[in-house]
Amino acid sequence: MQQPFSGEHTSGQPTSRRNVLAAAAGTAAAIGVTASSAPGTAQAAPPAPRSVPGRETGAEGGTEGGTEGNAPTTSSASAVHARAAALLQRMSLDEKIGQLFVIEVYGQTAETEHEGNRKLYGVPTPTEVIRKYHPGGVIYFDARRGPDNVREPRQIARLSNGLQRAAVRTGARVPLLISIDQEGGSVVYRMLEPATQLPGNMALAATRSTRDVYDSAEIIGTELAAVGINQNYAPVADVNINPANPVIGVRSFGSDTGLCAQFVSTAVRGYHRGGVASAAKHFPGHGDTDVDSHTGLPEIKHTRAELDRIDLPPFRAAIRRGVDTIMTAHIVVPSLDPSRVPATMSRPIVTGLLRGELGFKGVIATDALDMGGATTDFPPDVAPVRAFQAGCDQLVLAPQLDKAFAAVRNAVRSGQITEARLNSSVLRILEHKLHRRLFPSPYVSERRAARIVGSRRHRSRARQITERTVTLIRNEDGALPLPRTPATVLVTGWGTGPLAALARAIGERRGQLTTTLETGSRPNTAKIDEATQAARSHDVTVVLANASAAGKEDGAAQAQLIASLAATGRRLIVTGVRLPYDLRRFPDVPAYLATYNYGTPSMTALARVLYGEVAPHGELPVPIPTLDDPDRPLYPFGHGLHY
């Protein structure tokens, strides 16, 4: 797909590794050891837990291994600036340009030979990719995308150490920002078990607990830091006011701006306490769209007043809390930029609004430049230049990196991008790395990684949090809780993995005999008939619904399945395992719950709620509108039943 990049250092003075590292070590020592005063660092005390009668607030915020040791050191801004300026002065043009790019690499070790690296970069191993481009950052992905970087803690720590070793031994000897999208939940995540699985933003918002939000972010941050990942592209700061939103949904804290702002701020604190940089996304707000920016270019039609009231407050809150990075969105916002270019490419939005009006002084990162919202109108040699000219600092996943790199270099040499503009972004990135304490040693302990990731304390706390997320929305004629007398239970509907996890959790109870029948996202007549016949021979049927998995069909066939099951007269329980809006299609079902997540921990928590072992505590973070009138609520924001 991409041609190999052949450029080496083209300008600048030769770099002395000994001098740079020695100076960096001296500055790191001078930077001091407090963890609360620099931009982007967390305050020491966690937020007070919300007091709810009968609700267990969980353990205090400490985590195994000591999170204070992971927090960045700080100093006066002038000391960090001086050190960054000294590093910048020694960098060649190509080394400066390299710092702008965040790339992906293929393989589980720094020395793994992989065809993916050859195809993208013309060299076989991640180490050689780092040596060739001197990128400022790397982003990890799991095998679903292809790079296959994250398998287990020791392996991830070893990969991180290998990549850092390659970075500090070549070029300007600047450590990497190693990033990941680990939002929590079952939509955008990379690290699977043994990493602790947290329920995700909308589920957390259902608890209404700042303590749960804080602890969730801290656990994720602590585990990422342990394996050498120093930046998480989280939290999502979008306010999801559109039930048809195909790309945000449960990744958001919900539809209430105030709640989103509060929890975004809290999550930033939690990530910092855990020891990783945070990134609020997707600026200026991706919550009111029905187009996925991975495949198209959405338009946000909010007026400036609506943006100020709905979309911008969570970003303002993140900035006040000291968020390290803000990620731009590939969305058109005509009220902010009538030229109708994506926000990522818009100088009025990035420089005018984010830098100017909102006063953000941290790193601005693009969303992935290989997404449809960026590539449709901006080819590989145009998109990175336009994003940089708009005011972005980090260019994430630029397709055809050789072309992208050469385009930025040519823009600098021609004066299209001034060297002062280039230096300002590189300086900001270097300051960020100094604040995150990547100098002088960016390495982590593989042994400690194995001990921290998925620790008993983390898993216990995650279980407590997840149990509080389950929301009971409808419960007619005492359908729930289920009696603990012997019964046969049919577990059917969407999702092979979730169905198996729920059936296993139910079957652990004495006298409960489970049958699993997966019907898919768009069950046909034969599947509906099969499930209906099975329901007639079971005492209870539990259905998992997920309309989002059905695409444009939007769960209509799943609704037919549920109607057919209801007609049997047997006890029927339905659970929406992603968006709670699914209830619109079957509003008369006897019992309906929302988990906002279909991971195993959420299915285990659901089983406990079904049998009354845990009372449902969740409250809707979004209103559920009727199917025929999106402005008429079926159930309001904040609704939630209890036993």
Side-chain angles (χ1 to χ4, degrees):
M1 183 170 102
Q2 293 172 287
Q3 298 301 312
F5 169 69
S6 58
E8 289 296 335
H9 313 331
T10 58
S11 67
Q13 299 176 353
T15 302
S16 163
R17 177 174 181 269
R18 177 181 299 175
N19 289 344
V20 170
L21 290 182
T27 300
I31 287 181
V33 240
T34 60
S36 60
S37 59
T41 59
Q43 301 300 311
R50 178 176 182 260
S51 175
V52 180
R55 177 173 299 182
E56 182 182 9
T57 58
E60 291 302 313
T63 53
E64 182 176 341
T67 56
E68 288 288 13
N70 288 332
T73 53
T74 66
S75 76
S76 67
S78 60
V80 172
H81 180 81
R83 181 68 211 113
L87 289 167
L88 180 70
Q89 189 175 11
R90 296 180 174 93
M91 296 174 72
S92 71
L93 175 59
D94 277 11
E95 289 164 356
K96 293 177 184 179
I97 293 172
Q99 286 297 304
L100 308 179
F101 287 92
V102 178
I103 66 171
E104 61 185 333
V105 293
Y106 282 70
Q108 296 173 32
T109 75
E111 302 304 328
T112 300
E113 293 192 8
H114 198 290
E115 187 58 33
N117 296 319
R118 291 189 181 94
K119 182 178 179 181
L120 289 179
Y121 310 119
V123 293
T125 70
T127 288
E128 290 172 278
V129 175
I130 301 303
R131 289 173 180 165
K132 181 175 179 180
Y133 296 99
H134 315 301
V138 169
I139 180 171
Y140 285 168
F141 289 100
D142 57 13
R144 291 175 299 174
R145 178 177 168 105
D148 197 16
N149 303 135
V150 288
R151 288 292 185 92
E152 53 86 17
R154 287 181 182 269
Q155 171 267 316
I156 303 170
R158 192 175 306 120
L159 172 61
S160 299
N161 288 341
L163 295 178
Q164 294 290 16
R165 192 172 298 113
V168 301
R169 290 181 178 178
T170 60
R173 278 75 172 172
V174 176
L176 293 163
L177 285 173
I178 298 180
S179 304
I180 199 168
D181 293 290
Q182 190 75 3
E183 297 174 5
S186 51
V187 179
V188 177
Y189 59 92
R190 311 299 177 209
M191 287 172 58
L192 300 172
E193 292 182 344
T196 304
Q197 303 300 298
L198 280 303
N201 286 351
M202 191 173 286
L204 290 169
T207 73
R208 298 299 198 273
S209 167
T210 54
R211 166 61 68 181
D212 288 348
V213 174
Y214 180 90
D215 285 358
S216 177
E218 184 190 15
I219 289 169
I220 292 173
T222 300
E223 295 193 358
L224 295 182
V227 297
I229 297 170
N230 47 52
Q231 177 164 275
N232 192 16
Y233 287 133
V236 170
D238 305 310
V239 181
N240 196 83
I241 64 171
N242 190 338
N245 194 323
V247 65
I248 304 301
V250 293
R251 300 168 63 193
S252 164
F253 285 112
S255 63
D256 183 82
T257 296
L259 190 69
C260 288
Q262 178 188 15
F263 285 171
V264 164
S265 176
T266 300
V268 168
R269 293 183 65 192
Y271 288 127
H272 289 172
R273 181 61 175 251
V276 297
S278 54
K281 59 187 185 184
H282 308 78
F283 188 82
H286 209 315
D288 187 11
T289 176
D290 57 5
V291 175
D292 187 343
S293 54
H294 290 87
T295 56
L297 182 58
E299 179 176 343
I300 302 296
K301 298 179 180 179
H302 291 184
T303 65
R304 177 58 200 265
E306 289 171 329
L307 289 162
D308 283 329
R309 187 177 75 251
I310 300 168
D311 302 281
L312 295 180
F315 293 100
R316 293 182 186 273
I319 292 169
R320 287 194 300 269
R321 183 55 66 189
V323 69
D324 306 270
T325 298
I326 290 180
M327 177 178 283
T328 62
H330 305 322
I331 54 175
V332 169
V333 190
S335 64
L336 296 178
D337 188 346
S339 72
R340 302 182 64 83
V341 298
T344 298
M345 318 293 178
S346 168
R347 186 169 177 81
I349 294 175
V350 178
T351 297
L353 177 58
L354 182 52
R355 282 269 185 246
E357 288 189 47
L358 272 61
F360 180 57
K361 299 184 185 305
V363 173
I364 300 176
T366 70
D367 205 344
L369 292 174
D370 61 358
M371 292 166 56
T375 60
T376 301
D377 297 319
F378 297 90
D381 59 341
V382 175
V385 174
R386 288 293 299 270
F388 192 75
Q389 289 175 321
C392 296
D393 303 303
Q394 285 187 318
L395 308 172
V396 180
L397 294 174
Q400 300 186 36
L401 185 56
D402 298 325
K403 286 187 177 180
F405 199 113
V408 175
R409 185 206 289 127
N410 291 339
V412 175
R413 287 177 171 171
S414 69
Q416 189 179 0
I417 294 172
T418 66
E419 191 151 3
R421 169 70 186 89
L422 173 64
N423 287 346
S424 68
S425 280
V426 178
L427 190 67
R428 194 173 290 115
I429 292 167
L430 294 174
E431 289 176 340
H432 174 52
K433 292 180 178 184
L434 285 163
H435 278 306
R436 298 313 306 177
R437 208 169 62 177
L438 298 185
F439 294 92
S441 176
Y443 308 112
V444 294
S445 164
E446 294 177 25
R447 179 180 299 178
R448 183 177 183 275
R451 179 168 58 88
I452 294 297
V453 175
S455 70
R456 180 179 301 177
R457 180 182 296 180
H458 287 177
R459 287 184 283 109
S460 174
R461 184 73 186 101
R463 177 184 59 78
Q464 296 166 1
I465 293 170
T466 303
E467 287 176 351
R468 282 192 289 277
T469 65
V470 179
T471 306
L472 179 60
I473 299 170
R474 185 172 171 84
N475 189 22
E476 298 298 306
D477 301 323
L480 289 173
L482 295 175
R484 302 187 190 183
T485 54
T488 55
V489 182
L490 174 65
V491 182
T492 189
W494 173 86
T496 302
L499 289 171
L502 179 59
R504 185 166 55 250
I506 291 174
E508 290 173 352
R509 285 151 183 82
R510 179 176 298 179
Q512 306 303 301
L513 301 177
T514 61
T515 302
T516 304
L517 176 59
E518 204 269 341
T519 57
S521 59
R522 301 181 184 183
N524 56 28
T525 301
K527 276 291 183 184
I528 292 174
D529 290 345
E530 182 184 4
T532 303
Q533 188 63 32
R536 291 192 177 99
S537 61
H538 287 76
D539 300 312
V540 180
T541 297
V542 180
V543 185
L544 301 187
N546 183 359
S548 296
K552 292 183 179 179
E553 189 258 15
D554 195 31
Q558 294 179 45
Q560 292 174 15
L561 166 69
I562 291 166
S564 182
L565 293 170
T568 65
R570 297 287 185 169
R571 188 185 295 239
L572 177 65
I573 313 298
V574 182
T575 299
V577 294
R578 187 166 170 178
L579 290 165
Y581 309 120
D582 292 4
L583 180 59
R584 296 178 296 173
R585 286 197 172 275
F586 35 84
D588 298 324
V589 70
Y592 181 78
L593 307 97
T595 60
Y596 318 95
N597 185 315
Y598 45 80
T600 296
S602 289
M603 295 301 96
T604 302
L606 172 62
R608 297 198 70 196
V609 171
L610 291 178
Y611 286 89
E613 297 160 7
V614 171
H617 287 295
E619 300 172 3
L620 279 174
V622 294
I624 300 176
T626 58
L627 187 62
D628 56 353
D629 184 357
D631 295 323
R632 184 163 62 91
L634 184 64
Y635 290 95
F637 173 90
H639 173 80
L641 303 176
H642 309 284
Y643 298 153

